[in-house]
Structures are given as structure tokens and as C-alpha cells.
Amino acid sequence: MKAVIVQSPGGVDALEVAEVATPTPGPGEARVRAVTIGVGRPDVLIRQGSYKWMPPLPAIPGNEVAGVVDAIGPGVSAVSVGDRVLLSARELPQRGGGYAEFACAPAEALYALPDRIDFDAAVSLPNFQLAQALLFGGGTAVPLQSVLVTAAAGGVASAVVQTARAHGLKVIATASSEEKRRFVLDNGAHAALDPRDPTLVEQVKALTGGRGVELALDPTGGALFIACLHALAPLGMAMSYNILGGSPSADVFAELRKLLGRSLAVRTFSMHSFDADTARRRALMQAGIDLMATGAVRAPAATVLPLSEARRAHGLLDDPAFMGKLVLHP
């Protein structure tokens, strides 16, 4: 079969198309014929060799595969040949393995895909799983009424915006350009603000009747994370799930002390915190599947490339202007 392999870490040139043996499912396993392969940020980290949960080299990147079961091993009853399924590497002992025409996995790890979800949309479901976890898996001290979502045109944040809206929350978002702010509003946010505006905190307060948001979700860091703290309601929480713009620009604990009267909280978040909690992790994914199947959320528009153009896909992913979901077709 055709696969994309990383022999040694590096730039996009580290992705090599190769012919490798087609896997055979063992006991308890099913083989999935890939129809759509998702391209995401963890794939870039695998390519660069910097992922904390790095598979051994040579490695096949790819963490999201939607397709059809085409073979099963002995003792499998959870799935049948012909079933439409999603394979997420979050269900596997190690990440990666998706940039290939076929993949084997424990049958119990697969998710059934309703007919209403097409394969190109299905590979965005892990982002909706993560959105569920960010919104409802962090243990906020007060009931959620409103949420601040920064960098809201990104893949994960776009899923957060839709998921929050589907759950009846007021969604205030930030995005760095007028084009991205229009995209964010079209995606369901109630308001889209410029993160560089010096009155950002005041605008968030005005949009929440002076109270602030109960939850702020930020992948940026820098000065924006400090603004998130100041935009929180009493007993609110700011959650950092990346620091693409660098570490917070001020002493976080000192800022919390300045805001002591609000009793605020800070959490750093990774989906890996659910690695050992299979039931909760799968429930979060199933919640995303159910929302998409009913039309309450929708996958972003897909840019489709052949598997052989994985290098081009990674080049697009590295472009900060890119919006939507990148997918590969074998």
C-alpha cells in the first residue's frame, strides 16, 4: 500500500511517499480502508520530531482516518466488514499511523459513523471532541453562560465556537483580521473582536452586562492570555491549551492577586489528560458525533489533496492565513 513516512525529522521534505506492506488485522483488530485522512497540527509535530507523544521513527504521521472496514481479525464482533467508521489515534497506544491507504486498529477503538456524516466531515470530529472537553471537561466553578474564544478562526477554536453555540452559550470571539472575523461570525459567534484592540476587555464586559465571561479559552498566550484573565467573571476560569504567541506577557499569579476579589482560576489543558479515561474520552467524541449527525454543528470546508501531496498539505497548514480543514484522499 501507499503511505507517507518520516524517516528523520525535518521540514515538509521529511515527508516521503513509499510503498509498504498492507497490514493484516490480528485478533480483536479491524482493518480500515481509508477514504479521507485528516491533516492536523500534531502531524506537523511528528514530522518535526518534537511531539511529546512521538511514535518511534520511521513513523507514519496522521491521527484521523475515516473509511470503511474491509477486513476483521479473529474474535471481532464490535464491527463488520462494510461498516463506516472513524479511527482516531487518541484511541491507540501511540499517535500517528494515518497517512496510509489502510490502517489496523483494535475494533473497540473505532467509532461508528452515521450515514449523515460524510467522510471528509468526519475527520474534523476529533476537534469537536476536543471542543467538548475544553468547554465541559475542565470543571468550572460556576455554570457557563458565556465564553471567550480567542484565535477563533483556527480549527479547534472553530469547533469550540459551534459547540458552545449549540449548547446555548453566548460566544464572544477574537480573530486577527477582518476576513477572519467575518468567518467567525458566520461560524456562529455572537461577536468577533480584534485581539489587538486596547479596549478588548471593556468590550467583553459590555457584551456580558458588565459581568465578564465564565470561561476563556486561549491557544495564543502572550498579552492575550492576560487580557483573558481580566475579562473573566467572578469565579471564572482561563484555560490555556497552547501558547502559539509565547508565554503570558506578565506574571500570571501576580495578575490573579490583583484580581483577588473575583477568585479566578487558571488551567492548562491537553486532551492527553483523558488518555487513561477511556469512557469519558469516548463519551466526549460521541457527543461531537451526535451534534454533527443532527446538524447542530458542521465541519469546516475541506481542502482536498491526494495523499501523494502531503508535503503541499503541510505547507498550507503552516500558512497562518489558511482557514478550513485539510484532508488527504488516498
Side-chain angles (χ1 to χ4, degrees):
M1 69 173 182
K2 184 186 296 181
V4 174
I5 295 176
V6 175
Q7 299 281 358
S8 57
V12 296
D13 290 346
L15 300 170
E16 302 175 10
V17 179
E19 287 290 331
V20 301
T22 301
T24 300
E29 290 187 331
R31 187 174 67 197
V32 178
R33 175 180 60 82
V35 177
T36 301
I37 300 161
V39 179
R41 188 62 52 185
D43 306 345
V44 174
L45 298 179
I46 290 174
R47 185 198 81 208
Q48 295 172 338
S50 60
Y51 196 34
K52 288 184 179 180
W53 297 269
M54 184 76 186
L57 295 173
I60 298 176
N63 291 282
E64 308 144 353
V65 177
V68 177
V69 174
D70 84 321
I72 57 175
V76 170
S77 60
V79 298
S80 301
V81 171
D83 284 357
R84 303 174 78 254
V85 295
L86 171 69
L87 170 58
S88 168
R90 289 176 183 154
E91 300 300 320
L92 304 179
Q94 66 183 32
R95 298 303 195 252
Y99 286 10
E101 293 179 297
F102 296 90
C104 287
E108 299 287 346
L110 303 176
Y111 291 93
L113 279 182
D115 291 339
R116 291 183 294 274
I117 301 177
D118 68 42
F119 292 119
D120 284 357
V123 293
S124 288
L125 282 166
N127 277 351
F128 287 95
Q129 177 192 35
L130 180 51
Q132 288 282 147
L134 285 165
L135 287 164
F136 307 114
T140 52
V142 287
L144 290 183
Q145 301 177 54
S146 57
V147 58
L148 174 61
V149 183
T150 68
V156 172
S158 293
V160 170
V161 168
Q162 289 194 53
T163 303
R165 183 71 185 250
H167 285 281
L169 303 180
K170 183 165 191 175
V171 183
I172 302 169
T174 74
S176 59
S177 70
E178 189 61 39
E179 179 186 12
K180 289 184 176 181
R181 288 191 285 277
R182 286 195 299 269
F183 170 83
V184 167
L185 290 171
D186 290 343
N187 196 45
H190 294 89
L193 309 177
D194 186 340
R196 296 157 299 192
D197 192 315
T199 67
L200 175 63
V201 172
E202 288 76 13
Q203 291 181 70
V204 173
K205 293 285 187 67
L207 288 164
T208 54
R211 174 179 169 79
V213 294
E214 290 78 29
L215 179 65
L217 301 173
D218 176 55
T220 304
L224 190 52
F225 187 76
I226 301 303
C228 286
L229 293 179
H230 286 264
L232 291 174
L235 297 173
M237 179 167 65
M239 191 177 294
S240 168
Y241 62 99
N242 211 328
I243 49 169
L244 297 175
S247 296
S249 60
D251 184 319
V252 171
F253 189 74
E255 294 299 314
L256 291 173
R257 294 297 299 178
K258 290 178 187 176
L259 302 168
L260 185 59
R262 296 191 217 167
S263 301
L264 304 178
V266 169
R267 183 184 296 281
T268 57
F269 180 88
S270 167
M271 193 65 198
H272 286 279
S273 59
F274 294 96
D275 282 356
D277 192 343
T278 302
R280 195 172 185 200
R281 183 181 67 248
R282 291 187 68 84
L284 291 166
M285 178 70 88
Q286 191 60 51
I289 292 172
D290 293 344
L291 285 174
M292 189 176 287
T294 60
V297 301
R298 66 185 188 278
T303 298
V304 180
L305 296 172
L307 180 61
S308 59
E309 293 191 27
R311 289 181 177 179
R312 182 182 168 202
H314 276 229
L316 289 171
L317 193 65
D318 287 340
D319 182 352
F322 179 81
M323 292 185 290
K325 179 68 175 177
L326 279 162
V327 304
L328 302 172
H329 284 184

